[in-house]
Structure formats: C-alpha cells, structure tokens
Amino acid sequence: MIDLLRTKSSLIKNGFFSYIFDNKEDAVDYFLHFAKENISFGFAGSKTLETLGIYDILIDKGYKCFWHWKDGFKEGLDNCKDADYYLTSANAITSDGSLYFVDRIGNRISSVCFGHKKVFIFIGRNKIVADKAEAVRRAENIAIPLNSRRINNDIFKGLRSDDYVHYDDAANMELFLNASAKGRDIYVFLINEDLGY
C-alpha cells in the first residue's frame, strides 16, 4: 500500500486527480458517478478495462460507448475520437507520478493527450515501477509480449484479422505523461489488485 500512497501523492503533485481503491469493484462504482446524461465513452484496447467490465455496464445503462474491441476495428477507432470521456490503462506508472504508454497506431496516446473532456486511467498495483527505465523494461518484457500473443491468438481463432500486430511494431510510439496539462481533467484510479499486462 505504501507504493500506492506514494504514487497517488506524486500524481496529485503532477496535476492529476488520483484515487486509491482496494479492489476493482470499488473503482468501477466510484467511476459510475461520472456517468452523466448524454455523455459518451471511448475505450482504448485494454485487458484492464475488459476485466473491469465497465463497457458492458455502461451499455446496459443506455450510454453510447465506442470500443474497437467490440464495434469493429476501424469503426470503433473512428467513433472513439469524438467521445466525451476516454478510458484507458497505462503500460506502467512510476512512483513519482509519470505514466508510460506504448502504442502501435497512436489512438491511445493521442486520446490521452488531447480532445476528450475527461480521461480516466485505471491502473493495477502490478504496473507501479520505480522509474522511467523500469517502465520501459516492463513494457518490453511483459506488456508487449503478452499483448502480441493475445492478438495473434485471436487471429488464429479468426476473430480480428484486420488488427494484426507484429511484435516489432507494437511500440511504434511511446509517451511519458509527466504531468497533466493545465485545464485537462485526467483521473488516475490506482487499484490494489494485479490487473492487465
């Protein structure tokens, strides 16, 4: 819990809104307070978000949600750009409050940086690292291999042949988000469970 507390404190110092939750259910319950009438939601590709089940909860409540994992790859990406709120995870977060993302085509990086009214980043405790060098190593040794394997397995099942990712291009783009830009509402939900890659 010490790492979570230190990380939360660093995030707030860096201009993010940050909260700690004991489990994923508490995080989802708190997030749902932000679901107001006529708000639309865009989703990044994320095993963490899949585990949280937020997409299905919002759909069941009648909200417009856009996710290329659910809506078709190109259609989902195109519609997601115009969503009011954007939900994602990060590949790593340093204890001094920098968020690290790798991206193949830039949809997640661009959405985190600009364009949505609010951004929500859900992060399990397993993604907290000491520094930026460790964040990169975590992505290279854990997140990228596991994500590439997941996508390739889906291809063999015939699920998403248009979303093929070669291991070598899974990190075409990288972003360290060191602080929230002035006027940007970026929320980081730290969850005391292991979630995602």
Side-chain angles (χ1 to χ4, degrees):
M1 191 62 127
I2 293 174
D3 283 340
L4 289 169
L5 290 170
R6 182 167 60 242
T7 305
K8 174 188 173 183
S9 177
S10 298
L11 287 163
I12 292 170
K13 181 180 177 182
N14 294 344
F16 300 100
F17 299 98
S18 186
Y19 307 90
I20 295 174
F21 300 95
D22 288 333
N23 54 61
K24 59 184 177 290
E25 292 81 12
D26 288 350
V28 171
D29 285 346
Y30 188 81
F31 166 77
L32 291 175
H33 290 97
F34 293 92
K36 306 299 182 187
E37 190 176 355
N38 297 321
I39 294 293
S40 59
F41 299 85
F43 287 72
S46 167
K47 289 300 288 185
T48 296
L49 293 181
E50 184 177 64
T51 300
L52 295 176
I54 296 174
Y55 177 92
D56 292 328
I57 293 170
L58 291 171
I59 288 291
D60 288 346
K61 291 178 176 291
Y63 289 98
K64 287 185 181 178
C65 297
F66 309 110
W67 197 1
H68 61 287
W69 282 17
K70 303 278 189 177
D71 307 329
F73 187 68
K74 293 178 181 176
E75 180 182 358
L77 289 176
D78 287 343
N79 290 331
C80 187
K81 291 184 294 187
D82 297 322
D84 297 305
Y85 294 173
Y86 187 73
L87 286 71
T88 187
S89 188
N91 297 102
I93 180 171
T94 66
S95 59
D96 65 355
S98 290
L99 297 139
Y100 181 61
F101 304 86
V102 295
D103 217 341
R104 180 172 68 116
I105 60 174
N107 59 303
R108 179 167 64 157
I109 286 175
S110 62
S111 286
V112 165
C113 290
F114 190 77
H116 301 279
K117 294 175 182 175
K118 296 184 188 298
V119 174
F120 296 88
I121 304 171
F122 298 83
I123 300 180
R125 64 188 175 196
N126 53 311
K127 296 185 179 183
I128 299 175
V129 298
D131 53 34
K132 290 182 177 181
E134 190 178 341
V136 173
R137 284 194 299 272
R138 186 186 187 285
E140 290 176 345
N141 296 321
I142 298 173
I144 293 172
L146 288 174
N147 198 43
S148 296
R149 185 183 309 158
R150 173 192 63 81
I151 292 171
N152 291 338
N153 285 343
D154 284 353
I155 298 229
F156 296 138
K157 294 175 190 171
L159 298 180
R160 292 207 319 271
S161 61
D162 59 347
D163 191 19
Y164 182 72
V165 173
H166 294 279
Y167 178 87
D168 291 338
D169 68 5
N172 280 341
M173 302 172 199
E174 301 172 85
L175 170 70
F176 273 108
L177 189 62
N178 299 317
S180 181
K182 191 174 291 187
R184 292 280 286 148
D185 287 349
I186 300 179
Y187 296 79
V188 182
F189 287 14
L190 301 170
I191 302 170
N192 194 24
E193 293 184 24
D194 292 346
L195 295 167
Y197 303 150

